[in-house]
């Protein structure tokens, strides 16, 4: 009796209200606001507390996996980057989403978002936001060099235009996941894939040594050898690329949707000059396939509140909350319904919202494979730095990747 | 009532070896008590240090990925074969040895100069000693970030301050090539740990008898001769300890590389490679093989340094 009294005294003020711990990627308050909204909407059925993961996507993966491998019950809900969804699911770290909820989520989400959230024909995470890249450009620069940005442009064209006008093409080419995002988009834009048959796991077919791979390598080689390459090309992540674009030499930038509000306060003159267009084509006349990013929300298989967590992810990913998150963070919704959230129309021009959705429709997600980190690491090892990329790079990366997947060499 | 403790019969000393002094009953009893007193600590140490090594040895015999536990497969020494025949392993080992040799050498020289300054300084001794030791009080990750910003192409001061040098310009990307990146990493390492070296050398310096130095001076020895013939030989044990500690520390270099390059431009070290296999790739088998090899390398290094300096550690501890 004494023990029961002590335990009761130690319990929270909310009595039996389960506390769901949601591990989020860092943002500017969007997920915390959504958590508060859902806690309120739950009306005592559960309350959500957020914990923030590291900035780097790979570090987020590492932190979550280490705890999930130890079957840590301290994680209920997780924000997971799409390339790692299959790995988490394949390892048995994700609780099964009830069929009914899967149907709801599939119905409301963009096709690309559903594809990225699916493993073994099951939706294993709830698509929350879907990001894509577009081509940002300085209107004054495009005017100066006389390039028509109302028509689809190729990588060759923007590299030549930037070189001619003394500008820079800002890309993400540090040795990290963001560089693989660019390479994947270039290869997809030429009609190819990095890998296929990913359901075979480590025995997936490696397709990078192809015409599409060669076209991608040609673009990178051309930019790296051009005066249009930023001096910090080999260390450029999203932030550095944004800084290059904001400098006097800024001409073109490929980057995520949040760029639209990035310069609002810091460099309003850059915002004034900011233009946007569809992601550049790898091959002239062939439709570009912009990068796909985003976040899916999954429930830990070791959560002690699985039922409440499923209710919570349904709330977190409903259309309105996707809109709330987009308004606060610039990370766009994973559903058409989310785009209808009225405040978004006040922040973004309608043609930009249309471009985002068009880009999502055409986007090429990175291959959904439980071995994505090996695949990505192999590409980073063989394609970095950009100045070292040559026509032999696709073949080198294929043989390297095969050995890594067979665990015959170190990555 | 007292009890008599039987002493074992003394054996004939082996020819050529000095006879072992027979211990009294009291000394034997004290020894036994001492063993009992230290036993819990020894057991805890074994559990803490030996168990992980045994676990690593065991894991290193498997092909085992944390996210595919069902595919665990016994491969014997296969992982060691994979590691030792991989060019990346040797590249990273070379980087590690290079960083260790260069940084420890530079730190030994600068550290000795700092130790002399701290030893001889008459005015503002506290301020000077504190100033020299400040970098060592800085957390390595913080110092790595500071130096990364320093060498940054976007906002670092190195490019603007040293623009007058022919090979440095506003567009010099220090982290864009192997050697400049290695240089930046080593500068950061040297800045951070030279004070540690100087602290150890200061301890050695303060043990050198002033009488000997004075005697050498009276005999007409120059400053250089006093340094080489009197001061340094008498500091041999302290120098060995300083070099040993720093070499082992440098051999485990991780933080600076993690922050500054993430291993890009072939700047990876052995411990970074091990980290990536175990933590990032979750290859527990391969990663364990690497950690065992790293452990053996550290043991070998310690052995070589002790042999190189020919210091009797027991004598250095005053037990001789």
């Amino acid at each position: 009796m004494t023990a029961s009294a002590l335990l009761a005294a130690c319990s929270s003020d909310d009595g039996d209200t389960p506390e769901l711990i949601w591990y989020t990627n860092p943002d500017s308050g969007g997920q915390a606001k959504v958590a508060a909204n859902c806690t309120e909407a739950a009306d005592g059925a559960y309350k959500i507390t957020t914990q923030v993961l590291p900035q780097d996507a790979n570090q987020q993966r590492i932190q979550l996996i280490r705890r999930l491998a130890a079957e840590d019950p301290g994680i209920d809900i997780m924000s997971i980057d799409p390339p790692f969804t299959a790995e988490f699911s394949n390892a048995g770290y994700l609780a099964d989403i009830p069929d009914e909820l899967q149907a709801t989520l599939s119905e409301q989400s963009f096709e690309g978002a559903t594809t990225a959230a699916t493993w073994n024909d099951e939706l294993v995470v709830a698509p929350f936001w879907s990001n894509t890249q577009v081509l940002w450009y300085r209107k004054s620069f495009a005017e100066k060099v006389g390039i028509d940005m109302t028509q689809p442009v190729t990588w060759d064209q923007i590299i030549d235009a930037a070189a001619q006008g003394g500008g820079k093409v800002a890309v993400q080419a540090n040795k990290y996941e963001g560089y693989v995002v660019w390479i994947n988009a270039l290869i997809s834009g030429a009609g190819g894939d990095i890998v296929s048959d990913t359901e075979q796991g480590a025995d997936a077919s490696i397709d990078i040594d192809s015409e599409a791979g060669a076209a991608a390598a040609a673009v990178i080689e051309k930019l790296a050898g051009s005066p249009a390459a930023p001096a910090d090309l080999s260390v450029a992540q999203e932030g550095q690329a944004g800084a290059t674009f904001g400098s006097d030499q800024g001409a073109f930038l490929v980057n995520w949707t949040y760029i639209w509000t990035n310069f609002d306060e810091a460099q309003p003159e850059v915002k004034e000059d900011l233009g946007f267009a569809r992601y550049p084509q790898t091959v002239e006349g062939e439709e570009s396939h912009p990068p796909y990013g985003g976040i899916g929300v999954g429930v830990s298989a070791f959560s002690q509140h699985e039922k409440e967590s499923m209710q919570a992810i349904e709330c977190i990913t409903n259309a309105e909350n996707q809109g709330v998150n987009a308004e606060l963070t610039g990370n766009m919704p994973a559903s058409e319904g989310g785009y209808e959230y009225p405040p978004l129309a006040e922040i973004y021009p309608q043609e930009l919202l249309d471009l985002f959705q068009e880009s999502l429709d055409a986007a090429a997600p990175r291959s959904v494979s439980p071995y994505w980190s090996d695949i990505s690491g192999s590409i980073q090892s063989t394609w970095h730095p950009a100045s070292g990329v040559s026509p032999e790079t696709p073949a080198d990366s294929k043989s390297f990747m095969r050995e890594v997947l067979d665990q015959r060499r170190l990555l | 009532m007292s009890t008599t403790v039987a002493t074992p019969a003394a054996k004939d000393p082996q020819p050529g070896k000095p006879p072992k002094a027979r211990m009294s009953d009291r000394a034997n009893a004290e020894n036994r008590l001492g063993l009992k007193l230290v036993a819990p600590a020894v057991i805890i140490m074994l559990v803490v240090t030996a168990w992980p090594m045994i676990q690593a040895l065991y894991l290193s015999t498997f092909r085992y990925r944390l996210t595919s536990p069902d595919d665990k497969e016994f491969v014997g020494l296969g992982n060691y074969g994979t590691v030792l025949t991989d060019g990346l392993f040797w590249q990273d080992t070379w980087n590690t040895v290079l960083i260790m040799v260069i940084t420890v050498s530079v730190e030994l020289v600068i550290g000795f100069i700092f130790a002399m300054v701290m030893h001889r300084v008459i005015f503002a001794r506290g301020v000077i000693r504190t100033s020299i030791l400040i970098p060592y009080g800085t957390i390595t990750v913080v110092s790595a970030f500071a130096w990364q910003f320093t060498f940054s192409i976007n906002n670092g001061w190195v490019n603007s301050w040293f623009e007058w040098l022919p090979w440095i310009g506003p567009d010099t990307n220090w982290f864009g090539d192997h050697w400049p990146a290695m240089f930046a990493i080593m500068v950061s390492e040297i800045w951070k740990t030279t004070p540690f070296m100087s602290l150890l050398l200061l301890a050695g310096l303060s043990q050198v008898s002033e009488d000997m130095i004075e005697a050498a001076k009276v005999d007409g020895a120059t400053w250089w001769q006093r340094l080489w013939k009197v001061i340094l030989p008498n500091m041999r044990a302290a120098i060995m300890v300083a070099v040993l500690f720093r070499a082992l520390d440098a051999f485990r270099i991780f933080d600076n590389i993690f922050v500054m390059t993430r291993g890009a431009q072939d700047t990876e070290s052995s411990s970074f490679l091990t980290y990536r296999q175990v933590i990032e790739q979750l290859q527990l088998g391969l990663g364990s093989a690497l950690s065992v090899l790293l452990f053996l390398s550290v043991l070998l290094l310690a052995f070589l340094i002790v042999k190189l300096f020919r210091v009797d550690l027991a004598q250095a501890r005053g037990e001789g």
Side-chain angles (χ1 to χ4, degrees):
Chain A
M1 246 179 84
T2 312
S4 312
L6 278 172
L7 281 172
C10 292
S11 66
S12 70
D13 293 342
D14 298 339
D16 294 333
T17 304
E19 184 184 13
L20 308 179
I21 313 290
W22 177 16
Y23 278 79
T24 64
N25 55 306
D27 68 10
S28 45
Q31 290 169 104
K33 173 70 177 159
V34 169
N37 285 354
C38 289
T39 299
E40 198 182 330
D43 196 24
Y46 56 81
K47 64 171 183 177
I48 305 175
T49 304
T50 54
Q51 294 284 342
V52 183
L53 290 164
Q55 184 72 41
D56 181 81
N58 207 29
Q59 293 298 319
Q60 292 167 17
R61 164 186 170 267
I62 290 168
Q63 188 172 124
L64 288 174
I65 280 188
R66 289 172 71 188
R67 295 183 57 181
L68 291 166
E71 304 189 2
D72 185 345
I75 300 174
D76 295 296
I77 303 169
M78 300 166 278
S79 291
I80 304 171
D81 225 351
F84 309 125
T85 303
E87 183 181 32
F88 277 49
S89 175
N90 199 52
Y93 296 159
L94 297 177
D96 293 336
I97 298 178
D99 292 345
E100 206 172 304
L101 181 53
Q102 282 193 47
T104 308
L105 293 169
S106 300
E107 198 178 322
Q108 73 175 25
S109 307
F110 291 118
E111 199 180 325
T114 310
T115 308
T118 301
W119 177 246
N120 273 344
D121 301 326
E122 296 280 327
L123 201 70
V124 293
V125 293
F128 180 37
W129 50 269
S130 284
N131 220 337
T132 187
Q133 290 197 355
V134 297
L135 173 63
W136 305 98
Y137 63 92
R138 300 285 284 268
K139 288 188 274 195
S140 57
F141 187 89
E143 205 173 305
K144 183 175 86 175
V145 295
I147 184 169
D148 180 7
M149 297 303 293
T150 61
Q151 298 300 312
V153 290
T154 63
W155 278 98
D156 275 349
Q157 283 170 329
I158 62 167
I159 293 169
D160 290 340
Q164 176 203 332
K168 302 291 180 192
V169 178
V171 293
Q172 294 87 53
N174 197 353
K175 191 178 181 185
Y176 80 129
E177 181 67 21
Y179 185 35
V180 184
V181 165
W182 182 33
I183 294 166
N184 185 56
L186 289 172
I187 292 174
S188 303
D193 281 311
I194 291 175
V195 290
S196 59
D197 287 336
T198 51
E199 62 279 6
Q200 303 293 323
D203 297 324
S205 166
I206 301 169
D207 305 333
I208 197 167
D209 184 19
S210 60
E211 273 185 37
V219 168
I220 295 173
E221 190 181 5
K222 176 167 180 167
L223 177 60
S226 153
D232 64 352
L233 182 70
S234 64
V235 294
Q237 301 193 13
E238 280 84 351
Q240 287 89 343
T244 300
F245 185 71
S247 73
D248 294 342
Q249 292 183 308
F252 301 98
L253 162 74
V254 286
N255 214 328
W256 305 99
T257 55
Y258 62 77
I259 286 295
W260 181 250
T261 52
N262 207 41
F263 301 103
D264 281 357
E265 285 170 19
Q267 290 177 284
E269 73 286 0
V270 176
K271 177 63 179 281
E272 282 290 305
D273 199 23
L274 186 57
F276 46 86
R278 172 79 179 256
Y279 197 80
Q281 296 175 346
T282 311
V283 179
E284 189 169 9
E286 201 163 317
E287 192 187 32
S288 66
H289 290 297
Y292 175 85
I295 284 293
V297 185
V299 173
S300 164
F302 313 106
S303 165
Q304 290 172 337
H305 309 292
E306 192 177 313
K307 190 176 136 220
E308 291 85 358
S309 296
M310 289 297 171
Q311 290 167 3
I313 67 167
E314 184 170 9
C315 171
I316 288 167
T317 58
N318 71 32
E320 185 178 346
N321 279 329
Q322 288 185 16
V324 168
N325 181 63
E327 181 192 0
L328 292 172
T329 63
N331 295 319
M332 291 292 124
S335 65
E336 272 184 45
Y339 271 87
E340 284 159 18
Y341 185 66
L344 295 184
E346 291 167 24
I347 302 170
Y348 300 91
Q350 189 54 48
E351 60 267 38
L352 183 56
L353 290 175
D354 292 342
L355 176 64
F356 287 158
Q357 290 178 78
E358 176 194 324
S359 299
L360 280 174
D361 279 340
R366 283 155 276 173
S367 314
V368 181
S369 161
Y371 290 89
W372 177 256
S373 64
D374 286 5
I375 294 165
S376 173
S378 303
I379 292 171
Q380 290 170 41
S381 290
T382 46
W383 290 65
H384 191 270
S387 56
V389 171
S390 71
E392 287 80 45
T393 304
D396 291 346
S397 59
K398 179 183 178 174
S399 56
F400 185 87
M401 202 183 295
R402 182 73 274 153
E403 288 186 304
V404 167
L405 287 172
D406 291 345
Q407 299 186 44
R408 283 185 285 118
R409 75 176 297 164
L410 300 169
L411 179 58
Chain B
M1 201 176 98
S2 65
T3 53
T4 309
V5 180
T7 50
K11 288 177 184 170
D12 289 339
Q14 287 175 20
K17 286 198 172 179
K20 225 175 179 178
R22 183 187 291 186
M23 285 195 293
S24 67
D25 292 349
R26 184 194 168 112
N28 273 324
E30 281 180 351
N31 266 351
R32 277 198 296 276
L33 178 65
L35 283 175
K36 282 177 193 164
L37 288 172
V38 299
V42 170
I43 290 167
I44 290 171
M45 283 292 287
L46 282 176
V47 170
V48 172
T49 59
W51 174 248
M53 280 312 301
I54 293 166
Q55 177 81 356
L57 265 172
Y58 171 74
L59 279 174
S60 70
T61 58
F62 288 90
R63 178 174 291 176
Y64 179 27
R65 188 192 182 88
L66 191 62
T67 46
S68 325
D70 298 340
D71 299 334
K72 191 173 175 181
E73 182 192 351
F74 179 77
V75 290
L77 297 177
N79 285 328
Y80 293 94
T82 304
V83 169
L84 293 170
T85 54
D86 197 300
L88 185 62
F89 172 76
W90 294 109
Q91 162 77 43
D92 292 357
T93 303
W94 163 247
N95 286 345
T96 311
V97 171
L98 192 73
I99 290 171
M100 181 190 75
V101 170
I102 293 178
T103 59
V104 173
S105 306
V106 173
E107 285 174 27
L108 190 59
V109 175
I110 302 175
F112 189 75
I113 294 169
F114 280 172
M116 293 284 268
V117 169
M118 288 195 282
H119 187 58
R120 296 286 176 207
V121 70
I122 296 166
F123 63 93
R125 175 178 277 210
V127 173
I128 290 174
R129 286 189 173 187
T130 308
S131 309
I132 289 175
L133 295 175
I134 277 175
Y136 193 61
T138 312
I139 296 164
T140 313
V141 171
V142 175
S143 109
F145 270 114
W147 283 100
Q148 188 196 34
F149 289 131
T150 299
F151 282 101
S152 163
I153 188 173
N154 299 316
N155 44 21
W157 51 257
V158 171
N159 283 0
S160 50
W161 284 22
F162 294 96
E163 210 177 338
W164 50 275
L165 287 169
W167 60 91
I168 297 179
D171 283 349
T172 303
N173 183 2
W174 289 88
F175 302 111
D177 272 311
H178 175 72
W179 288 112
M182 289 284 277
F183 176 78
I185 289 166
M186 286 193 264
V187 166
S188 172
E189 180 79 359
I190 289 166
W191 180 83
K192 167 77 175 66
T193 47
T194 298
F196 178 64
M197 183 73 101
S198 60
L199 206 59
L200 293 174
L201 293 176
L202 177 65
L205 205 54
S206 59
Q207 284 179 343
V208 178
S209 160
E210 287 294 327
D211 294 344
M212 277 197 292
I213 299 171
E214 277 302 314
K217 203 186 271 185
V218 170
D219 287 345
T222 61
W223 181 88
W224 194 247
Q225 283 170 327
R226 291 199 301 274
L227 177 70
W228 281 101
K229 305 283 185 189
V230 180
I231 298 174
L232 289 180
N234 279 292
M235 285 178 66
R236 206 167 68 183
I239 293 172
M240 188 216 66
V241 170
V243 169
L244 179 69
F245 279 24
R246 268 304 299 138
L248 297 185
D249 203 27
F251 199 81
R252 293 183 288 114
I253 183 169
F254 176 83
D255 315 42
N256 279 320
I257 296 172
F258 186 86
V259 170
M260 296 173 92
T261 63
R262 281 285 174 108
Q265 319 299 2
D266 294 331
T267 56
E268 201 170 68
S269 66
S270 300
S271 52
F272 196 94
L273 178 67
T274 309
Y275 158 83
R276 282 204 307 101
Q277 298 306 312
V278 181
I279 308 292
E280 284 191 2
Q281 303 305 324
L282 307 163
Q283 299 278 14
L284 299 191
L286 273 174
S288 297
L290 275 165
S291 66
V292 169
L293 289 171
L294 192 60
F295 175 72
L296 293 177
S297 307
V298 169
L299 276 187
L300 178 70
L301 189 63
F303 175 77
L304 287 177
I305 292 174
V306 172
K307 280 283 165 205
L308 182 76
F309 279 85
R310 295 191 299 266
V311 172
D312 180 350
L313 285 177
Q315 198 179 23
R317 282 197 302 266
E319 293 173 7

